[in-house]
Amino acid sequence: MTGDAADTPRLRLTATQEQRLRELGADPGFLEGRFVDAATRDAAFTRLQDDLTRAGREHLRELRTGSRLPRLVELEHALSAALVGAGFVRVVTPLMISSDALRRMGVEHGHPLREQVFWLDDGRCLRPMLAPNLYTLLRRLGRHWAKPFGIFEIGPCFRRDTKGASHLNEFTMLNLVELGRPEREGRGRLEELAALVMAAAGVAEYDLEVTESEVYGAMIDVVVAGAEVCSAGLGPHPLDGNWGIVDPWVGLGFGLERLLMAREGYPNIERAGRSLSYLDGVRLNL
Ligand code: ATP
Ligand code: MG
């Protein structure tokens, strides 16, 4: 009668074991596991630690020999190739933007995003988004190119987001925007472009959800297993007048680290981002 109770697995990993396995990238399910006694637990811990360490070393070896590049870099290449293949033009714009550019995006004092901006001492800031630069280029390129045409940028953005499992202070945004298709085609085109990016990113399962954004009003989010990987919007939009844009547009902004997190099943975004503790998701104190 007492035998059953004694055999019930109740023992958790120690805090140190759990921390170690988390760093090594263990499946979160394993970290919740229960064991019948300390010997069984410690053996399971050692086995998994060895497996993960071996896999990490193998990954570092592949990086060392050049047989692979960091996933963030590979993802950037894959997304860029897919968009160029679809006729989009890649652009590269400044990381430092003016306070006026934010104001023209409707990000003024009292606006929640305003609190997340990293200010430089000359009134400029590190861009928290790509939209102001892309708005400017759309207007200028519209004088040269027949519509519709599309542009995209992939590069760093900065936000003082409260650190959590899915926010980084510096992350990589893909923002694509297409100008000049008839407004009635907007929603369909948005879905088509979302599908193009998700296929290039290697994420098969996702949902589209209609939400409200502080900056753009009604938005459509691309969500993977409950986590937002993209916010997308449609113009004409009230902000367009600030940028001299009169044609309809479709725009989508993806976080590359969020895409990696979704695809690789990382429980924490830190593994996907720029880091000194990880190289391409491999913990360096193996
Ligand atoms: P969230 O609500 O998740 O904080 P958001 O709606 O504020 O994100 P957007 O302004 O819609 O973010 O930015 C577009 C995309 O950029 C997001 O869908 C997400 O993939 C990515 N992103 C935004 N903020 C961060 C961050 N701090 N760290 C990593 N990725 C981010
Ligand atoms: Mg969003």
mmCIF file of all heavy atoms in Angstrom, residues 194-210:
data_model
loop_
_atom_site.group_PDB
_atom_site.id
_atom_site.type_symbol
_atom_site.label_atom_id
_atom_site.label_comp_id
_atom_site.label_asym_id
_atom_site.label_seq_id
_atom_site.Cartn_x
_atom_site.Cartn_y
_atom_site.Cartn_z
ATOM 1 N N ALA A 194 2.563 37.489 -46.869
ATOM 2 C CA ALA A 194 2.820 36.793 -45.600
ATOM 3 C C ALA A 194 3.186 35.343 -45.884
ATOM 4 O O ALA A 194 4.140 34.797 -45.301
ATOM 5 C CB ALA A 194 1.595 36.872 -44.693
ATOM 6 N N ALA A 195 2.472 34.718 -46.812
ATOM 7 C CA ALA A 195 2.738 33.313 -47.155
ATOM 8 C C ALA A 195 4.133 33.166 -47.769
ATOM 9 O O ALA A 195 4.867 32.213 -47.457
ATOM 10 C CB ALA A 195 1.672 32.800 -48.124
ATOM 11 N N LEU A 196 4.507 34.122 -48.608
ATOM 12 C CA LEU A 196 5.836 34.086 -49.240
ATOM 13 C C LEU A 196 6.945 34.129 -48.186
ATOM 14 O O LEU A 196 7.896 33.340 -48.209
ATOM 15 C CB LEU A 196 5.969 35.290 -50.182
ATOM 16 C CG LEU A 196 7.292 35.482 -50.879
ATOM 17 C CD1 LEU A 196 7.230 34.841 -52.257
ATOM 18 C CD2 LEU A 196 7.646 36.953 -51.035
ATOM 19 N N VAL A 197 6.810 35.041 -47.228
ATOM 20 C CA VAL A 197 7.841 35.192 -46.199
ATOM 21 C C VAL A 197 7.866 33.964 -45.274
ATOM 22 O O VAL A 197 8.941 33.446 -44.946
ATOM 23 C CB VAL A 197 7.620 36.487 -45.379
ATOM 24 C CG1 VAL A 197 8.541 36.536 -44.171
ATOM 25 C CG2 VAL A 197 7.834 37.717 -46.268
ATOM 26 N N MET A 198 6.702 33.497 -44.875
ATOM 27 C CA MET A 198 6.665 32.354 -43.957
ATOM 28 C C MET A 198 7.244 31.105 -44.620
ATOM 29 O O MET A 198 7.937 30.321 -43.966
ATOM 30 C CB MET A 198 5.234 32.100 -43.456
ATOM 31 C CG MET A 198 4.667 33.242 -42.618
ATOM 32 S SD MET A 198 5.709 33.732 -41.236
ATOM 33 C CE MET A 198 5.294 32.468 -40.034
ATOM 34 N N ALA A 199 6.996 30.935 -45.917
ATOM 35 C CA ALA A 199 7.572 29.780 -46.627
ATOM 36 C C ALA A 199 9.091 29.922 -46.683
ATOM 37 O O ALA A 199 9.829 28.965 -46.419
ATOM 38 C CB ALA A 199 6.981 29.673 -48.033
ATOM 39 N N ALA A 200 9.569 31.121 -46.991
ATOM 40 C CA ALA A 200 11.022 31.340 -47.071
ATOM 41 C C ALA A 200 11.676 31.146 -45.700
ATOM 42 O O ALA A 200 12.829 30.725 -45.607
ATOM 43 C CB ALA A 200 11.317 32.740 -47.602
ATOM 44 N N ALA A 201 10.928 31.434 -44.635
ATOM 45 C CA ALA A 201 11.468 31.281 -43.278
ATOM 46 C C ALA A 201 11.377 29.835 -42.799
ATOM 47 O O ALA A 201 11.929 29.497 -41.747
ATOM 48 C CB ALA A 201 10.715 32.204 -42.311
ATOM 49 N N GLY A 202 10.652 29.009 -43.537
ATOM 50 C CA GLY A 202 10.530 27.596 -43.154
ATOM 51 C C GLY A 202 9.561 27.362 -42.006
ATOM 52 O O GLY A 202 9.704 26.405 -41.252
ATOM 53 N N VAL A 203 8.581 28.258 -41.865
ATOM 54 C CA VAL A 203 7.553 28.071 -40.826
ATOM 55 C C VAL A 203 6.227 27.762 -41.536
ATOM 56 O O VAL A 203 5.660 28.624 -42.204
ATOM 57 C CB VAL A 203 7.397 29.330 -39.939
ATOM 58 C CG1 VAL A 203 6.393 29.076 -38.823
ATOM 59 C CG2 VAL A 203 8.744 29.755 -39.366
ATOM 60 N N ALA A 204 5.768 26.531 -41.384
ATOM 61 C CA ALA A 204 4.610 26.074 -42.164
ATOM 62 C C ALA A 204 3.290 26.487 -41.536
ATOM 63 O O ALA A 204 2.335 26.821 -42.233
ATOM 64 C CB ALA A 204 4.669 24.567 -42.340
ATOM 65 N N GLU A 205 3.210 26.470 -40.206
ATOM 66 C CA GLU A 205 1.928 26.693 -39.527
ATOM 67 C C GLU A 205 1.875 28.089 -38.916
ATOM 68 O O GLU A 205 2.720 28.426 -38.090
ATOM 69 C CB GLU A 205 1.764 25.688 -38.383
ATOM 70 C CG GLU A 205 1.900 24.246 -38.795
ATOM 71 C CD GLU A 205 0.548 23.546 -38.874
ATOM 72 O OE1 GLU A 205 -0.318 23.882 -38.042
ATOM 73 O OE2 GLU A 205 0.390 22.712 -39.775
ATOM 74 N N TYR A 206 0.878 28.870 -39.322
ATOM 75 C CA TYR A 206 0.695 30.191 -38.714
ATOM 76 C C TYR A 206 -0.744 30.632 -38.901
ATOM 77 O O TYR A 206 -1.470 30.077 -39.722
ATOM 78 C CB TYR A 206 1.657 31.207 -39.336
ATOM 79 C CG TYR A 206 1.450 31.424 -40.822
ATOM 80 C CD1 TYR A 206 0.573 32.409 -41.283
ATOM 81 C CD2 TYR A 206 2.117 30.651 -41.755
ATOM 82 C CE1 TYR A 206 0.370 32.607 -42.636
ATOM 83 C CE2 TYR A 206 1.908 30.838 -43.108
ATOM 84 C CZ TYR A 206 1.039 31.826 -43.550
ATOM 85 O OH TYR A 206 0.829 32.012 -44.896
ATOM 86 N N ASP A 207 -1.147 31.630 -38.135
ATOM 87 C CA ASP A 207 -2.494 32.195 -38.255
ATOM 88 C C ASP A 207 -2.394 33.690 -38.504
ATOM 89 O O ASP A 207 -1.407 34.326 -38.139
ATOM 90 C CB ASP A 207 -3.280 31.990 -36.945
ATOM 91 C CG ASP A 207 -3.488 30.523 -36.653
ATOM 92 O OD1 ASP A 207 -4.014 29.822 -37.541
ATOM 93 O OD2 ASP A 207 -3.106 30.080 -35.556
ATOM 94 N N LEU A 208 -3.451 34.240 -39.090
ATOM 95 C CA LEU A 208 -3.560 35.694 -39.237
ATOM 96 C C LEU A 208 -4.615 36.169 -38.246
ATOM 97 O O LEU A 208 -5.698 35.603 -38.175
ATOM 98 C CB LEU A 208 -3.977 36.060 -40.661
ATOM 99 C CG LEU A 208 -3.015 35.644 -41.772
ATOM 100 C CD1 LEU A 208 -3.549 36.086 -43.127
ATOM 101 C CD2 LEU A 208 -1.636 36.261 -41.542
ATOM 102 N N GLU A 209 -4.260 37.214 -37.481
ATOM 103 C CA GLU A 209 -5.206 37.747 -36.481
ATOM 104 C C GLU A 209 -5.345 39.253 -36.657
ATOM 105 O O GLU A 209 -4.344 39.948 -36.786
ATOM 106 C CB GLU A 209 -4.676 37.479 -35.058
ATOM 107 C CG GLU A 209 -4.807 36.035 -34.633
ATOM 108 C CD GLU A 209 -4.253 35.785 -33.242
ATOM 109 O OE1 GLU A 209 -3.841 36.761 -32.567
ATOM 110 O OE2 GLU A 209 -4.215 34.600 -32.842
ATOM 111 N N VAL A 210 -6.569 39.734 -36.615
ATOM 112 C CA VAL A 210 -6.794 41.180 -36.727
ATOM 113 C C VAL A 210 -6.626 41.805 -35.346
ATOM 114 O O VAL A 210 -7.188 41.323 -34.372
ATOM 115 C CB VAL A 210 -8.198 41.480 -37.290
ATOM 116 C CG1 VAL A 210 -8.436 42.989 -37.340
ATOM 117 C CG2 VAL A 210 -8.352 40.871 -38.673
#
